[in-house]
Amino acid sequence: MSDYTFDDVAVVMGTYNEEEAIGSVLADIDRVTDGRAEVVCVDGSSDRTPEIARGMGARVIEQEPRGYGVAVREAVLTPDRPVVVTTDCDDTYPMERLPDFLDRINEGYDVVSGDRISPRPETMPALNRLGNRAFAGLASLILGRRLHDVTTGMRAYRRDLLHRIEWTENTGLSAELLMRPVARGYRVTEVPIDYDERAGETKLDPFRGGAAIAKSILRVGFAERFDRRLDPTSETVERVDTSSSD
């Protein structure tokens, strides 16, 4: 299998009123990938976000706002390139780590998931850190595999995997995008990443959103664990410490 390059990568995101951050995110992607990665934004904004994104060369798919998962599901299924990387448009994720994520795909992993929690990010509000640890613990308990961060927005996937699985969740799609591949025996690795303070205001209510994510984890986890025949001997999740390469 030949190695993928950034000519084979699409970086995708759902965008909603992120005019404060979208320019910086797209500039970082362009710089790190030498302008070779395709960028896809599925947008439901009422501000200048889509205008800025188009002006910086991104492909923008306009969509009526129907929630996080609807936008991101459209985003991950749209590209034709064989490697799809998800990120958020609020400038919290380190685009300089894109080469590391691509390296892991070239090592044979199907999913490379950015772990924000293990480095104990001070920029993440304490309530969010607590909630994200609880989500990871719940998913780990149900699936019987240790997971560190199931709600991260930065991951790399092989495109064919994304089209083999039916994605059902909305607010909890981030967890589903990790949990179903883990449960079905795909090669998944978590990579610690830095997490910056977001630009702009969050759109997610921490309590209602948190409850919705927890319900999704329970729904997806129990469906995968008890409704599917899984190989209990498969080792599908590996922990990769890349701190020395940062």
Side-chain angles (χ1 to χ4, degrees), residues 208-230:
R208 285 189 296 178
I213 292 169
K215 289 179 182 178
S216 289
I217 290 171
L218 289 169
R219 187 160 48 237
V220 170
F222 280 101
E224 291 292 329
R225 190 68 190 271
F226 300 113
D227 292 350
R228 295 181 51 85
R229 276 190 154 184
L230 303 178

Side-chain angles (χ1 to χ4, degrees), residues 78-93:
T78 292
D80 294 325
R81 298 196 181 190
V83 179
V84 178
V85 178
T86 60
T87 189
D88 288 349
C89 52
D90 55 10
D91 208 18
T92 54
Y93 290 100

Side-chain angles (χ1 to χ4, degrees), residues 77 110 159-167 184 186:
L77 296 177
D110 300 300
R159 177 182 178 274
D160 56 355
L161 175 154
L162 292 166
H163 287 263
R164 287 181 189 146
I165 298 175
E166 181 181 359
W167 309 106
R184 299 186 190 199
Y186 288 98

Side-chain angles (χ1 to χ4, degrees), residues 5-148:
T5 70
F6 283 125
D7 295 316
D8 302 304
V9 172
V11 181
V12 307
M13 64 196 83
T15 57
Y16 181 71
N17 292 348
E18 296 287 357
E19 64 181 12
E20 294 181 41
I22 190 67
S24 177
V25 174
L26 297 183
D28 286 345
I29 295 169
D30 185 75
R31 171 179 53 81
V32 172
T33 69
D34 294 324
R36 294 159 62 190
E38 177 187 21
V39 179
V40 177
C41 300
V42 176
D43 185 76
S45 300
S46 58
D47 66 1
R48 295 180 58 251
T49 299
E51 177 185 337
I52 295 169
R54 285 195 184 96
M56 297 186 69
R59 177 182 177 185
V60 177
I61 301 170
E62 295 195 35
Q63 182 186 84
E64 288 294 322
R66 287 178 286 167
Y68 171 86
V70 175
V72 173
R73 182 164 56 246
E74 177 77 13
V76 299
L77 296 177
T78 292
D80 294 325
R81 298 196 181 190
V83 179
V84 178
V85 178
T86 60
T87 189
D88 288 349
C89 52
D90 55 10
D91 208 18
T92 54
Y93 290 100
M95 294 298 96
E96 64 270 15
R97 295 297 301 278
L98 287 173
D100 297 327
F101 278 57
L102 184 57
D103 285 346
R104 300 298 179 213
I105 292 291
N106 283 326
E107 289 172 10
Y109 292 104
D110 300 300
V111 181
V112 183
S113 187
D115 168 17
R116 308 159 296 168
I117 306 305
S118 295
R120 300 182 180 182
E122 295 181 0
T123 54
M124 183 181 292
L127 181 62
N128 292 33
R129 289 199 305 271
L130 179 63
N132 286 321
R133 288 194 182 101
F135 297 146
L138 179 61
S140 299
L141 181 64
I142 296 171
L143 295 180
R145 302 286 193 275
R146 180 70 172 97
L147 300 172
H148 296 81

